[in-house]
Amino acid sequence: MELTVTRELHPDQLPAIHAVLDAATRHDGIAPLSEQFLRGLTNPQHHHFLLYDDTTIVGIAAYDGETAELAVTPTARRHGGATLLIDLMGHKPLWAHGNLQPAQHFARHLGYTPSRELLVMAIDGDPLTAATAYQFPDGVELLDLPTAYDRYGSETVDQLWLEANNQAFSWHPEQGGWDLDRLNQARDTDWYRPDDVLTLWENSKLLGFHWVKRHGDLRAGAKGEVYVVGLGDAGRGRGLGGPLVNAGINRLVAEGASLVFLYVEADNKPALRAYQDVGFVVVEHHVLYTRS
Ligand SMILES: CC(C)(COP(=O)(O)OP(=O)(O)OC[C@H]1O[C@@H](n2cnc3c(N)ncnc32)[C@H](O)[C@@H]1OP(=O)(O)O)[C@@H](O)C(=O)NCCC(=O)NCCS
């Protein structure tokens, strides 16, 4: 095998790159590139490195300025291809989606160690339906975002939503420290629906929120996601987390979802416990490897 690496990606190479990613997904049972990096294939701010066997593309590494993801097609593995990609790209932090054995060995071989673990949890069938029952204490009320805007004004609600978000996620590398621009950026997607943002109120105080995401038409079998759920300082320690999670599940089930999943940091033990209590189980591990 004659392996070489180049540092460019032309749009006409996209079908060959997708063939590599599809073959890896079929072989490994999990996609090697996240949605963000798939979108990044056409984003000039992402850096790409292509692995060739002679003139055939057999691997890719991508770097978004913070972390990197890479894949080698199954028939070209164990020939030093991924090592060549890393040699050219540099030892960036690497995501291993699924954290499969080859990735673990490869990371260790390069002197990387795990620095962050993100879990995917899922719930379906009976436990899903069981999780739709919820009740809030007297005086605590759930409003979808359009209703909250009507009652309190959109600027006020967005401000309170950001405050609750930043209190709930003060420790989180991506979800914490948001301003209005960051919130608007998160909402600027083709799937965003204001009525899928549920906000929890006590009089005019926003206690927390649960934003759910539909991955397509729920009635046609698309998955629902517990996208972000958070309680601000005023909502914590009052047993509101469980009902708030269930309220979002209730919405997704009412709209036709038969499977609901979520991402959670592996070291966020209180959240893990809360999701397990509702019936979620861990179905995927995603590990970020770094080299110090
Ligand atoms: C992980 C992956 C990128 C490795 O690609 P590769 O081209 O086979 O890797 P290399 O040939 O450069 O391997 C270098 C070393 O890593 C280790 N390694 C790689 N795959 C291994 C495996 N399946 N079992 C044991 N060790 C392995 C070995 O030490 C290997 O050296 P050796 O072959 O001389 O023993 C590839 O299996 C892949 O695409 N997996 C799916 C995507 C993924 O997990 N990406 C995240 C990587 S952190």
Side-chain angles (χ1 to χ4, degrees):
M1 210 168 254
E2 274 293 309
L3 296 179
T4 51
V5 176
T6 67
R7 195 187 266 277
E8 295 158 300
L9 189 161
H10 297 291
D12 58 0
Q13 293 168 317
L14 286 172
I17 292 166
H18 280 289
V20 167
L21 300 176
D22 291 348
T25 305
R26 275 196 305 278
H27 180 270
D28 301 329
I30 189 160
L33 260 54
S34 61
E35 242 180 80
Q36 190 206 330
F37 276 80
L38 280 179
R39 279 200 302 272
L41 291 174
T42 52
N43 178 347
Q45 279 166 0
H46 281 223
H47 304 268
H48 295 103
F49 303 84
L50 298 182
L51 177 70
Y52 284 83
D53 175 20
D54 196 8
T55 55
T56 308
I57 294 174
V58 293
I60 177 165
Y63 176 57
D64 72 356
E66 286 181 14
T67 60
E69 302 191 345
L70 86 158
V72 173
T73 204
T75 49
R77 291 181 186 175
R78 296 308 290 271
H79 291 281
T83 307
L84 279 180
L85 283 166
I86 297 289
D87 282 349
L88 192 64
M89 182 174 69
H91 290 87
K92 312 296 186 202
L94 281 180
W95 276 108
H97 299 296
N99 197 30
L100 305 175
Q101 287 289 336
Q104 293 179 28
H105 287 294
F106 175 69
R108 200 171 317 126
H109 168 81
L110 289 185
Y112 279 82
T113 49
S115 63
R116 184 177 165 200
E117 187 175 7
L118 203 57
L119 304 176
V120 176
M121 301 182 84
I123 176 175
D124 57 12
D126 285 348
L128 182 67
T129 325
T132 59
Y134 67 95
Q135 201 176 4
F136 293 111
D138 286 348
V140 173
E141 187 181 16
L142 192 74
L143 305 175
D144 66 22
L145 199 61
T147 312
Y149 278 177
D150 283 349
R151 194 176 298 178
Y152 300 113
S154 61
E155 270 179 44
T156 304
V157 172
D158 280 354
Q159 208 45 52
L160 293 174
W161 178 7
L162 279 168
E163 274 172 31
N165 179 81
N166 292 342
Q167 287 167 359
F169 294 103
S170 56
W171 51 276
H172 195 285
E174 284 119 24
Q175 189 66 41
W178 280 25
D179 57 16
L180 189 59
D181 279 350
R182 182 66 189 84
L183 177 62
N184 286 335
Q185 193 188 322
R187 292 192 277 201
D188 184 19
T189 64
D190 51 2
W191 55 263
Y192 174 65
R193 293 176 51 134
D195 56 343
D196 278 345
V197 180
L198 308 176
T199 51
L200 194 64
W201 297 84
E202 192 167 43
N203 305 316
S204 55
K205 217 166 21 177
L206 193 153
L207 301 176
F209 64 95
H210 186 166
W211 183 358
V212 297
K213 173 174 176 181
R214 304 164 193 230
H215 289 253
D217 179 358
L218 297 177
R219 292 195 190 281
K223 295 178 194 173
E225 180 181 348
V226 171
Y227 186 57
V228 200
V229 53
L231 283 168
D233 294 344
R236 240 158 306 146
R238 298 176 54 183
L240 297 173
L244 186 57
V245 169
N246 286 2
I249 294 173
N250 183 302
R251 171 161 183 84
L252 290 166
V253 169
E255 298 283 315
S258 54
L259 192 146
V260 173
F261 75 101
L262 57 86
Y263 290 92
V264 60
E265 300 284 337
D267 60 3
N268 187 355
K269 300 293 178 220
L272 264 171
R273 237 189 334 271
Y275 295 136
Q276 275 159 352
D277 286 349
V278 178
F280 283 93
V281 291
V282 175
V283 292
E284 281 173 19
H285 295 255
H286 302 263
V287 174
L288 184 67
Y289 285 94
T290 47
R291 202 168 94 142
S292 46

